[in-house]
Amino acid sequence: MIETDGVALRLAIVDDHPVARRGLAAILTEEGDATVVASVADPADLPDPADLDLVLCDLYLAGGRPAVAAVRDLASRTRVLMVSAAGRPSDMLACVAAGAGGYVTKDSEERALLTAVHAVAAGEIDLSPHLAAITRAASRSAGGTSPLTAREEETLTWIAR
């Protein structure tokens, strides 16, 4: 069940592939407690993001460029969950740094997607195990040591689970 405080979530989907938009919308509305108010290829075509509980945004939109600027703009007005087939680790990390509350791959199980939607809509962070591993690797790349404490590493591992 996807709801916050007993109220159905108002969601929007931004993906340049029509089949992906339709598939995500079907999964998200199947239980009847979420409403997809917009399904668009370009973030400029969204209604006011402040009126939305969550935007699901593809990592790469038309033109193949990472959606970092779109995420930064959207995240300043609502919560954002990245949903993509794959991506370069630096692009995924850039979107999370720009304000995305999580990242889910399109090959995830439906339950994992719904869990991520619920968590991010509630203001939590949801990282797939894949993105958590990338985050750990990126944190270690500076000088061969991790700038994270042992407790932060442990916390990141638990978030990924």
Side-chain angles (χ1 to χ4, degrees):
M1 180 177 254
I2 304 173
E3 57 181 57
T4 303
D5 298 327
V7 178
L9 293 176
R10 292 175 43 85
L11 309 174
I13 300 167
V14 179
D15 194 309
D16 56 333
H17 296 97
V19 171
R21 289 194 308 267
R22 284 193 294 274
L24 285 170
I27 292 167
L28 295 168
T29 59
E30 189 173 90
E31 294 183 33
D33 51 5
T35 302
V36 175
V37 298
S39 180
V40 298
D42 187 328
D45 296 331
L46 285 172
D48 184 358
D51 294 335
L52 301 170
D53 297 306
L54 180 69
V55 174
L56 287 81
C57 186
D58 191 10
L59 179 60
Y60 299 109
L61 299 174
R65 301 188 73 109
V68 178
V71 169
R72 186 172 294 111
D73 177 56
L74 292 168
S76 70
R77 297 180 281 158
T78 194
R79 294 185 172 108
V80 179
L81 174 64
M82 303 306 297
V83 181
S84 191
R88 292 193 322 256
S90 60
D91 294 341
M92 290 185 271
L93 292 173
C95 285
V96 171
Y103 177 90
V104 177
T105 57
K106 289 180 180 173
D107 64 352
S108 297
E109 295 293 325
E110 289 181 17
R111 182 56 36 206
L113 172 67
L114 295 172
T115 298
V117 165
H118 186 262
V120 174
E124 299 171 13
I125 294 174
D126 187 276
L127 298 179
S128 68
H130 177 69
L131 184 56
I134 290 168
T135 303
R136 281 195 301 275
S139 71
R140 291 187 176 131
S141 67
T145 61
S146 174
L148 300 176
T149 67
R151 182 68 177 148
E152 289 169 331
E153 288 272 352
E154 181 183 6
T155 300
L156 190 56
T157 300
W158 281 104
I159 289 170
R161 289 184 189 149

